[in-house]
Amino acid sequence: MEHFRETRGKKRRVLIADDESINREVLGSILKDRYEVSYAEDGQEAFNMLKEAKPVFSLVLLDLLMPRMDGFEFISRLRADNDLRMVPVIVMTSEADAEVKSINLGAADFIIKPYDMPEVILARCDRIIELSEGKTIISSAEKDHLTGLYSREFFYEYIRQIEGYNRDTLMDAVVFNIDHFHLINEMYGRKTGDEVLINLAGVLTDIFGRIAGIGCHSDADTFYVYCQHQFSYDSIMDKIQESLPALSEKARIRVRMGVYPNVDKEAEAELWFDYAKTACDMIRGDYTRSVSVYSKEQHDRMLYHEKLINEIDEAIANRDLIVYYQPKYRIQGEKPVLKSAEALIRWKHPERGIISPGDFIPLFESNGLIQKLDNYVWEEAAHQIRKWKEKYGRTIPVSVNVSRIDIYDPALESKLLKLIDTYDITTEDLLLEITESAYADNADTLSRVVDSLRGRGFKIEMDDFGSGYSSLNMLTTITIDVIKIDMKFIRNMRKDDKSLRMVKLIIDIAGFLNVPVVAEGVEDEVQLTILKKMGCDLIQGFYFSRPVPPEEFVKFIEQEL
Ligand code: C2E
Ligand code: MG
Ligand code: MG
């Protein structure tokens, strides 16, 4: 993505400051084919023009002896001005000793009057512009060592330069992020991680180089691209998707893209990329989307999410996060029998009222905070089991949800064992629900963790079974203790035959594996009857009860007694 300037093909602006019109004309006629030339009659006028220029001037050709403000004063004013400091100046002079003085003042070069060889003058102007544009560039650490793309610092510097002469072109800020990059590093080693970054940088350079983009390796697994405005990024994303399998032999790579289209040129470039990054973050964990375009609503949602993130500790401390319990009933007897419960988190927000887990679980899964939340829920549940045990003299087993992120926590098992110990319960009392999609992330790790937990006596319930792509595959590699049928099959059972047969199939598979099966989301008697006939063992759903706080849950226990 190096050839931004060349592909833009815009003429640079050059300012000639000379009080003699004949000099201005001669020089102007030499330069006007290659540059966009403007004229000033003295130093003051030249200075004012530079200050107001949009796009900026790339070079000043300066006569030294002029009325109002001479060339010497002009140069020192220029060098003292923060915006104009870097504009190169070529001094035009007929006096030999002024050369030294002007060069000492910081002029980049000089041309002797009268002008004779136009090619030489042009070549000098070209060289000085090139040098000066290169100089600001080289002054910041230019390239990222790993990927060969620009460093972030230089990238912004380059954008400011481009914007100097490119303000009228519509441009987009684009951010790329690799999903779960830290896991790629952890699982396959840094070398594989680096390889993925290098290869992705190559793909981006190839694709965006064609639409006059420049790119940077911002940090870890994030890339920025600044390019001409695109009406849609779908085809670009398609090309990137096609290239992903080749990025690494081992790891499966998923890339997300956030776009802030048609950037607001009055704002800072850093802000454009903050917006693009926001867009990119919004689809983290959403496996159905890979391109996200920045919008106001998205921005508001991000602020809302940020607020929730900041509030989680306080919410735990104030006990605004409450664990609800939903009963699971065994239905194969004469009448339903309370078997266990599922712990489900609720956030009673002091300002917003009850926030459903759908609003914050995916968010916390995306930034790792879910671990904190889950640890809290597990402890609450373990404590609750203990309290009921004491009060009613019997155990109500409680299932807790184990997020896919928890699977990678090396302390997972020891944390759970500690809870068992602290609350003096057994591994059979605290059941673990693991969502089926965790298998798609990394089958090997999941299988290892599940084996180990089962070895300690924990029971594993496979949540949302049938929702993923590898449900059957999973059953051949992982031993589990309970299957929970994904709710959507139960919901659709009556209106579509496929769902109904799917439910039947899952129940048969569970029978074949000799594990109980739970139907979730059962809302009415008709569903219950169908499921009972098919041989489903356990039911969880609004038909029996919504998830309720523990004080309300006791009524189900007391009914049983
Ligand atoms: P899940 O583990 O599959 O939980 C079942 C969800 O189905 C719960 O939604 C429950 O309220 C809902 N549900 C139960 N019966 C019915 C019914 O008859 N009809 C309908 N329409 N819905 C029913 P909830 O509580 O909103 O939780 C949603 C998801 O959030 C859970 O799905 C689980 O994946 C996650 N979640 C909830 N609490 C926790 C937690 O403490 N930790 C983690 N990691 N995830 C949690
Ligand atoms: Mg669950
Ligand atoms: Mg479920």
Side-chain angles (χ1 to χ4, degrees):
M1 282 178 255
E2 295 247 15
H3 303 292
F4 194 91
R5 247 175 267 146
E6 289 81 344
T7 46
R8 301 292 322 126
K10 280 255 168 86
K11 278 186 177 176
R12 297 290 186 283
R13 297 188 71 190
V14 167
L15 178 64
I16 298 176
D18 197 317
D19 56 332
E20 282 183 56
S21 67
I22 177 76
N23 285 343
R24 293 198 297 271
E25 258 164 54
V26 173
L27 198 54
S29 68
I30 295 174
L31 299 176
K32 71 179 186 328
D33 284 345
R34 177 124 13 140
Y35 301 109
E36 203 190 306
V37 184
S38 305
Y39 305 92
E41 295 185 8
D42 58 58
Q44 186 63 58
E45 190 187 0
F47 193 80
N48 296 345
M49 283 174 77
L50 281 182
K51 268 306 232 193
E52 274 146 36
K54 264 180 198 170
V56 293
F57 283 100
S58 297
L59 176 67
V60 181
L61 292 159
L62 183 74
D63 179 26
L64 285 178
L65 301 177
M66 291 182 292
R68 284 223 290 171
M69 186 194 288
D70 67 15
F72 297 107
E73 190 187 342
F74 174 85
I75 292 183
S76 45
R77 292 263 319 260
L78 200 67
R79 295 294 166 246
D81 188 293
N82 263 341
D83 298 332
L84 304 177
R85 216 158 29 89
M86 300 304 274
V87 179
V89 176
I90 296 181
V91 164
M92 302 173 294
T93 174
S94 47
E95 304 153 69
D97 72 319
E99 286 164 17
V100 179
K101 204 171 170 197
S102 58
I103 298 286
N104 283 344
L105 266 173
D109 204 350
F110 58 90
I111 295 171
I112 306 282
K113 290 197 240 186
Y115 314 118
D116 46 8
M117 298 203 286
E119 323 72 81
V120 174
I121 293 176
L122 273 174
R124 285 194 160 184
C125 291
D126 275 355
R127 191 180 62 91
I128 294 300
I129 291 176
E130 219 179 281
L131 266 180
S132 101
E133 289 185 350
K135 199 154 68 191
T136 23
I137 288 167
I138 291 158
S139 62
S140 26
E142 189 175 349
K143 295 242 162 127
D144 168 52
H145 289 304
L146 184 66
T147 60
L149 291 181
Y150 296 123
S151 65
R152 183 161 46 180
E153 195 187 24
F154 171 68
F155 178 71
Y156 284 130
E157 181 57 44
Y158 198 173
I159 289 178
R160 279 186 268 277
Q161 279 194 23
I162 292 168
E163 283 312 306
Y165 57 87
N166 194 49
R167 285 189 78 81
D168 303 331
T169 310
L170 302 186
M171 301 292 287
D172 296 345
V174 185
V175 167
F176 290 92
N177 187 270
I178 304 175
D179 262 8
H180 303 305
F181 186 69
H182 66 284
L183 291 182
I184 296 173
N185 270 335
E186 275 165 37
M187 277 160 18
Y188 305 106
R190 273 200 83 93
K191 204 162 154 259
T192 302
D194 285 352
E195 191 182 284
V196 170
L197 294 175
I198 293 166
N199 292 340
L200 181 60
V203 169
L204 295 180
T205 304
D206 191 35
I207 292 173
F208 283 93
R210 289 182 214 164
I211 52 167
I214 58 168
C216 105
H217 179 207
S218 160
D219 55 68
D221 58 344
T222 309
F223 293 87
Y224 291 177
V225 171
Y226 187 56
C227 63
Q228 280 175 8
H229 177 56
Q230 304 295 305
F231 179 69
S232 155
Y233 278 90
D234 291 345
S235 67
I236 288 183
M237 198 55 181
D238 286 347
K239 274 191 218 142
I240 293 172
Q241 302 280 19
E242 274 166 34
S243 72
L244 292 181
L247 291 193
S248 166
E249 279 177 14
K250 299 180 195 145
R252 213 175 56 169
I253 313 295
R254 209 184 88 91
V255 169
R256 279 171 291 121
M257 176 185 201
V259 183
Y260 172 45
N262 187 10
V263 300
D264 171 9
K265 301 221 172 167
E266 297 305 316
E268 297 283 331
E270 282 82 350
L271 194 69
W272 306 339
F273 286 89
D274 283 351
Y275 286 173
K277 201 160 176 302
T278 304
C280 192
D281 285 344
M282 292 315 286
I283 52 168
R284 193 192 289 259
D286 177 351
Y287 290 86
T288 62
R289 297 171 61 199
S290 53
V291 179
S292 158
V293 178
Y294 177 84
S295 67
K296 175 78 173 65
E297 298 79 67
Q298 226 180 26
H299 189 72
D300 292 345
R301 233 180 93 206
M302 185 204 61
L303 293 181
Y304 172 55
H305 280 175
E306 234 155 57
K307 201 164 167 331
L308 293 183
I309 289 168
N310 289 333
E311 287 172 345
I312 180 170
D313 286 325
E314 203 185 320
I316 289 179
N318 295 348
R319 306 193 67 78
D320 291 338
L321 282 169
I322 307 167
V323 180
Y324 276 37
Y325 296 86
Q326 187 177 33
K328 298 183 191 177
Y329 279 89
R330 165 150 285 155
I331 54 162
Q332 286 302 340
E334 216 173 280
K335 69 182 216 351
V337 179
L338 176 67
K339 186 71 196 348
S340 60
E342 176 173 6
L344 293 157
I345 189 88
R346 296 290 177 268
W347 190 335
K348 264 198 187 153
H349 197 279
E351 294 149 36
R352 296 168 198 272
I354 298 247
I355 308 177
S356 104
D359 267 12
F360 58 88
I361 296 278
L363 168 70
F364 291 163
E365 273 178 341
S366 73
N367 61 18
L369 276 176
I370 189 73
Q371 283 198 25
K372 187 181 270 196
L373 191 109
D374 279 345
N375 293 348
Y376 168 77
V377 174
W378 302 341
E379 171 135 28
E380 288 288 296
H383 195 179
Q384 192 60 64
I385 297 168
R386 173 85 244 151
K387 285 194 259 185
W388 283 333
K389 205 170 188 169
E390 269 163 24
K391 187 162 174 205
Y392 299 106
R394 63 168 282 195
T395 297
I396 313 296
V398 173
S399 315
V400 292
N401 287 287
V402 176
S403 150
R404 60 218 299 162
I405 311 286
D406 299 318
I407 304 287
Y408 299 103
D409 178 4
L412 172 67
E413 194 171 299
S414 61
K415 279 178 187 169
L416 289 168
L417 286 171
K418 186 154 175 270
L419 290 179
I420 301 294
D421 188 46
T422 307
Y423 294 99
D424 192 19
I425 56 177
T426 73
T427 49
E428 308 237 336
D429 302 340
L430 190 69
L431 307 166
L432 308 176
E433 290 194 9
I434 297 178
T435 167
E436 193 208 89
S437 51
Y439 182 82
D441 284 354
N442 182 347
D444 292 344
T445 307
L446 183 65
S447 144
R448 191 166 35 76
V449 171
V450 164
D451 278 351
S452 178
L453 288 168
R454 290 186 79 252
R456 295 296 194 148
F458 285 104
K459 300 278 178 262
I460 308 296
E461 304 191 325
M462 197 44 67
D463 208 352
D464 313 321
F465 187 83
S467 61
Y469 299 108
S470 38
S471 314
L472 282 180
N473 209 355
M474 180 181 61
L475 290 180
T476 61
T477 37
I478 298 184
T479 313
I480 51 161
D481 302 284
V482 176
I483 289 180
K484 293 189 82 175
I485 308 174
D486 192 52
M487 208 152 37
K488 73 167 180 283
F489 298 119
I490 311 294
R491 195 184 311 132
N492 298 332
M493 214 165 45
R494 264 177 298 172
K495 54 177 187 249
D496 91 63
D497 199 44
K498 250 197 212 146
S499 293
L500 184 73
R501 279 187 306 194
M502 192 68 185
V503 172
K504 178 80 179 100
L505 179 68
I506 296 175
I507 293 173
D508 288 346
I509 291 171
F512 171 76
L513 293 172
N514 201 19
V515 297
V517 57
V518 182
E520 253 188 304
V522 176
E523 297 187 353
D524 58 48
E525 183 121 28
V526 180
Q527 290 170 329
L528 181 113
T529 312
I530 297 175
L531 288 160
K532 188 170 176 181
K533 252 198 220 130
M534 285 180 176
C536 177
D537 308 284
L538 294 148
I539 295 283
Q540 175 184 351
F542 296 172
Y543 174 73
F544 286 113
S545 169
R546 289 177 176 267
V548 291
E551 351 29 295
E552 236 178 275
F553 190 87
V554 297
K555 73 172 181 244
F556 301 117
I557 306 177
E558 284 165 8
Q559 268 164 18
E560 292 292 309
L561 295 173

Coordinates of all heavy atoms in Angstrom, one line a residue, residues 148-187:
G148 N 6.0 -5.2 8.0 CA 6.4 -4.3 6.9 C 5.4 -3.2 6.6 O 5.6 -2.4 5.7
L149 N 4.3 -3.2 7.3 CA 3.3 -2.1 7.1 C 3.8 -0.9 7.9 O 4.8 -1.1 8.7 CB 1.9 -2.5 7.6 CG 1.2 -3.6 6.8 CD1 -0.2 -3.9 7.4 CD2 1.0 -3.2 5.4
Y150 N 3.2 0.2 7.8 CA 3.6 1.4 8.5 C 3.3 1.2 10.0 O 2.4 0.5 10.4 CB 2.9 2.6 8.0 CG 3.2 3.0 6.6 CD1 2.3 3.1 5.6 CD2 4.6 3.2 6.3 CE1 2.6 3.4 4.3 CE2 4.9 3.5 5.0 CZ 3.9 3.6 4.0 OH 4.3 3.9 2.7
S151 N 4.1 1.8 10.8 CA 3.8 1.9 12.3 C 2.6 2.8 12.4 O 2.3 3.7 11.5 CB 5.0 2.4 13.0 OG 5.2 3.7 12.7
R152 N 2.0 2.8 13.6 CA 0.8 3.6 13.8 C 1.1 5.1 13.7 O 0.4 5.9 13.1 CB 0.1 3.3 15.1 CG -1.2 4.1 15.2 CD -2.1 3.4 16.2 NE -1.4 3.0 17.4 CZ -2.0 2.5 18.5 NH1 -3.3 2.3 18.4 NH2 -1.3 2.1 19.5
E153 N 2.2 5.4 14.4 CA 2.7 6.8 14.4 C 2.9 7.4 13.1 O 2.4 8.5 12.7 CB 4.0 6.8 15.2 CG 4.4 8.2 15.7 CD 5.8 8.2 16.3 OE1 6.5 7.2 16.0 OE2 6.1 9.0 17.1
F154 N 3.6 6.6 12.3 CA 3.9 7.1 10.9 C 2.6 7.2 10.1 O 2.4 8.0 9.2 CB 4.9 6.2 10.3 CG 5.1 6.6 8.8 CD1 5.7 7.8 8.5 CD2 4.7 5.7 7.9 CE1 5.7 8.1 7.2 CE2 4.7 6.1 6.5 CZ 5.3 7.3 6.2
F155 N 1.8 6.2 10.2 CA 0.6 6.1 9.5 C -0.2 7.4 9.6 O -0.7 8.0 8.7 CB -0.2 4.9 10.1 CG -1.6 4.6 9.5 CD1 -1.7 4.2 8.2 CD2 -2.7 4.8 10.2 CE1 -3.0 3.9 7.6 CE2 -4.0 4.6 9.7 CZ -4.1 4.1 8.4
Y156 N -0.4 7.8 10.9 CA -1.1 9.1 11.1 C -0.4 10.3 10.5 O -1.0 11.2 9.9 CB -1.3 9.3 12.6 CG -2.4 8.4 13.2 CD1 -2.2 7.7 14.4 CD2 -3.7 8.4 12.6 CE1 -3.2 6.9 14.9 CE2 -4.7 7.5 13.1 CZ -4.4 6.8 14.3 OH -5.4 6.0 14.8
E157 N 0.9 10.3 10.6 CA 1.7 11.3 10.0 C 1.4 11.4 8.4 O 1.2 12.4 7.8 CB 3.2 11.1 10.3 CG 4.1 12.1 9.7 CD 3.8 13.5 10.2 OE1 3.5 13.7 11.4 OE2 3.7 14.5 9.4
Y158 N 1.4 10.2 7.9 CA 1.2 10.1 6.4 C -0.2 10.6 6.0 O -0.3 11.3 5.1 CB 1.4 8.6 6.0 CG 1.7 8.4 4.6 CD1 2.0 7.1 4.1 CD2 1.6 9.4 3.6 CE1 2.3 6.8 2.8 CE2 1.9 9.1 2.3 CZ 2.2 7.9 1.9 OH 2.4 7.6 0.5
I159 N -1.1 10.2 6.9 CA -2.5 10.6 6.6 C -2.6 12.1 6.6 O -3.2 12.8 5.7 CB -3.5 10.0 7.6 CG1 -3.7 8.5 7.4 CG2 -4.8 10.7 7.5 CD1 -4.6 7.9 8.3
R160 N -1.9 12.8 7.6 CA -1.9 14.2 7.6 C -1.3 14.8 6.3 O -1.8 15.8 5.8 CB -1.2 14.7 8.9 CG -2.1 14.6 10.1 CD -1.5 15.3 11.3 NE -0.8 14.3 12.1 CZ -1.4 13.4 13.0 NH1 -2.7 13.5 13.2 NH2 -0.7 12.6 13.7
Q161 N -0.3 14.2 5.9 CA 0.3 14.7 4.6 C -0.6 14.5 3.4 O -0.8 15.4 2.7 CB 1.6 13.8 4.3 CG 2.8 14.3 5.1 CD 4.1 13.7 4.5 OE1 4.1 13.3 3.4 NE2 5.1 13.7 5.4
I162 N -1.2 13.3 3.3 CA -2.1 13.1 2.2 C -3.2 14.1 2.3 O -3.6 14.7 1.3 CB -2.7 11.6 2.3 CG1 -1.6 10.6 2.1 CG2 -3.8 11.5 1.3 CD1 -2.1 9.2 2.4
E163 N -3.8 14.3 3.5 CA -4.9 15.3 3.6 C -4.5 16.7 3.2 O -5.3 17.5 2.9 CB -5.4 15.2 5.0 CG -6.3 14.0 5.3 CD -7.3 13.8 4.2 OE1 -8.0 14.8 3.9 OE2 -7.3 12.7 3.6
G164 N -3.2 17.0 3.3 CA -2.7 18.3 2.9 C -3.1 18.6 1.5 O -3.4 19.8 1.1
Y165 N -3.1 17.6 0.6 CA -3.5 17.9 -0.8 C -4.6 17.1 -1.3 O -4.8 16.9 -2.5 CB -2.2 17.8 -1.7 CG -1.6 16.4 -1.6 CD1 -2.0 15.4 -2.5 CD2 -0.5 16.2 -0.8 CE1 -1.4 14.1 -2.4 CE2 0.0 14.9 -0.7 CZ -0.4 13.9 -1.5 OH 0.2 12.7 -1.4
N166 N -5.4 16.5 -0.4 CA -6.3 15.5 -0.8 C -7.7 15.7 -0.1 O -8.4 14.8 0.0 CB -5.8 14.1 -0.5 CG -6.5 13.0 -1.2 OD1 -6.8 13.1 -2.4 ND2 -6.9 12.0 -0.5
R167 N -7.9 16.9 0.3 CA -9.1 17.1 1.2 C -10.4 16.8 0.6 O -11.4 16.6 1.3 CB -9.0 18.5 1.8 CG -8.0 18.7 2.9 CD -8.1 20.0 3.6 NE -9.2 20.0 4.5 CZ -9.1 19.5 5.8 NH1 -8.0 19.0 6.2 NH2 -10.1 19.6 6.6
D168 N -10.5 17.0 -0.7 CA -11.8 16.8 -1.4 C -12.2 15.4 -1.7 O -13.3 15.1 -2.1 CB -11.8 17.7 -2.7 CG -11.4 19.1 -2.4 OD1 -11.7 19.5 -1.3 OD2 -10.8 19.8 -3.3
T169 N -11.2 14.5 -1.6 CA -11.5 13.1 -1.9 C -12.2 12.4 -0.7 O -11.8 12.6 0.4 CB -10.2 12.3 -2.2 OG1 -9.5 13.1 -3.2 CG2 -10.6 10.9 -2.8
L170 N -13.3 11.7 -1.0 CA -13.9 11.0 0.1 C -13.1 9.8 0.5 O -12.6 9.0 -0.4 CB -15.3 10.5 -0.3 CG -16.3 11.5 -0.8 CD1 -17.7 10.9 -1.0 CD2 -16.5 12.6 0.2
M171 N -12.9 9.6 1.8 CA -12.0 8.5 2.3 C -12.7 7.7 3.4 O -13.5 8.3 4.1 CB -10.7 9.1 2.8 CG -9.9 10.0 1.8 SD -9.2 9.0 0.5 CE -7.9 8.1 1.3
D172 N -12.2 6.5 3.6 CA -12.8 5.6 4.6 C -11.7 5.2 5.6 O -10.5 5.0 5.2 CB -13.4 4.4 4.0 CG -14.6 4.6 3.1 OD1 -15.1 5.7 3.2 OD2 -15.0 3.7 2.4
A173 N -12.0 5.1 6.9 CA -11.1 4.5 7.8 C -11.6 3.1 8.1 O -12.8 2.8 8.4 CB -11.1 5.3 9.1
V174 N -10.7 2.1 8.0 CA -11.1 0.7 8.1 C -10.2 0.0 9.1 O -9.0 0.2 9.2 CB -10.9 0.0 6.7 CG1 -11.5 -1.4 6.8 CG2 -11.7 0.7 5.7
V175 N -10.8 -0.8 10.0 CA -10.0 -1.5 11.0 C -10.3 -3.0 10.9 O -11.4 -3.4 10.6 CB -10.4 -1.0 12.4 CG1 -9.9 -2.0 13.5 CG2 -9.9 0.4 12.7
F176 N -9.2 -3.8 10.9 CA -9.4 -5.2 10.9 C -8.9 -5.8 12.2 O -7.9 -5.4 12.8 CB -8.5 -5.9 9.8 CG -9.0 -5.6 8.5 CD1 -8.6 -4.5 7.8 CD2 -10.0 -6.4 7.9 CE1 -9.1 -4.2 6.5 CE2 -10.4 -6.1 6.6 CZ -10.0 -5.0 5.9
N177 N -9.6 -6.8 12.7 CA -9.2 -7.5 13.9 C -9.4 -9.0 13.7 O -10.3 -9.5 13.1 CB -10.0 -7.0 15.1 CG -9.5 -7.6 16.4 OD1 -9.9 -8.7 16.8 ND2 -8.5 -6.9 17.0
I178 N -8.4 -9.8 14.3 CA -8.5 -11.2 14.2 C -9.1 -11.8 15.4 O -8.8 -11.4 16.5 CB -7.0 -11.8 14.1 CG1 -6.3 -11.2 12.9 CG2 -7.1 -13.3 13.9 CD1 -4.9 -11.6 12.8
D179 N -10.1 -12.6 15.2 CA -10.8 -13.2 16.4 C -9.9 -14.1 17.2 O -9.2 -14.9 16.7 CB -12.0 -14.1 15.8 CG -13.3 -13.3 15.8 OD1 -13.2 -12.1 16.1 OD2 -14.3 -14.0 15.6
H180 N -10.0 -13.9 18.5 CA -9.3 -14.8 19.5 C -7.9 -15.0 19.2 O -7.3 -16.1 19.2 CB -10.0 -16.2 19.5 CG -11.5 -16.2 19.9 ND1 -11.9 -15.6 21.0 CD2 -12.5 -16.7 19.2 CE1 -13.2 -15.7 21.0 NE2 -13.6 -16.3 20.0
F181 N -7.2 -13.9 18.8 CA -5.8 -14.0 18.4 C -5.0 -14.6 19.5 O -4.0 -15.3 19.3 CB -5.3 -12.7 17.9 CG -3.9 -12.8 17.3 CD1 -3.7 -13.5 16.2 CD2 -2.8 -12.2 18.0 CE1 -2.4 -13.6 15.6 CE2 -1.5 -12.3 17.5 CZ -1.3 -13.0 16.3
H182 N -5.3 -14.1 20.8 CA -4.4 -14.6 21.9 C -4.5 -16.2 22.0 O -3.6 -16.8 22.4 CB -4.9 -14.0 23.2 CG -6.2 -14.3 23.6 ND1 -7.4 -13.8 23.1 CD2 -6.7 -15.2 24.6 CE1 -8.4 -14.3 23.6 NE2 -8.0 -15.1 24.6
L183 N -5.7 -16.7 21.6 CA -5.8 -18.2 21.6 C -4.9 -18.8 20.6 O -4.3 -19.9 20.8 CB -7.2 -18.6 21.4 CG -8.2 -18.3 22.6 CD1 -9.6 -18.8 22.3 CD2 -7.7 -18.9 23.9
I184 N -4.8 -18.2 19.4 CA -3.9 -18.7 18.4 C -2.5 -18.7 18.9 O -1.8 -19.7 18.7 CB -4.0 -17.8 17.1 CG1 -5.5 -17.9 16.5 CG2 -3.0 -18.3 16.1 CD1 -5.7 -17.0 15.4
N185 N -2.1 -17.7 19.5 CA -0.8 -17.6 20.1 C -0.6 -18.7 21.2 O 0.5 -19.4 21.2 CB -0.5 -16.2 20.8 CG 0.1 -15.3 19.8 OD1 0.7 -15.7 18.8 ND2 -0.1 -14.0 20.1
E186 N -1.6 -18.8 22.0 CA -1.4 -19.8 23.1 C -1.4 -21.2 22.6 O -0.7 -22.0 23.1 CB -2.6 -19.6 24.1 CG -2.3 -18.5 25.2 CD -3.6 -18.1 25.9 OE1 -4.4 -19.0 26.2 OE2 -3.7 -16.9 26.2
M187 N -2.3 -21.5 21.7 CA -2.5 -22.9 21.3 C -1.4 -23.3 20.3 O -0.9 -24.4 20.4 CB -3.8 -23.1 20.6 CG -4.9 -23.3 21.7 SD -6.6 -23.0 21.1 CE -6.5 -23.0 19.4

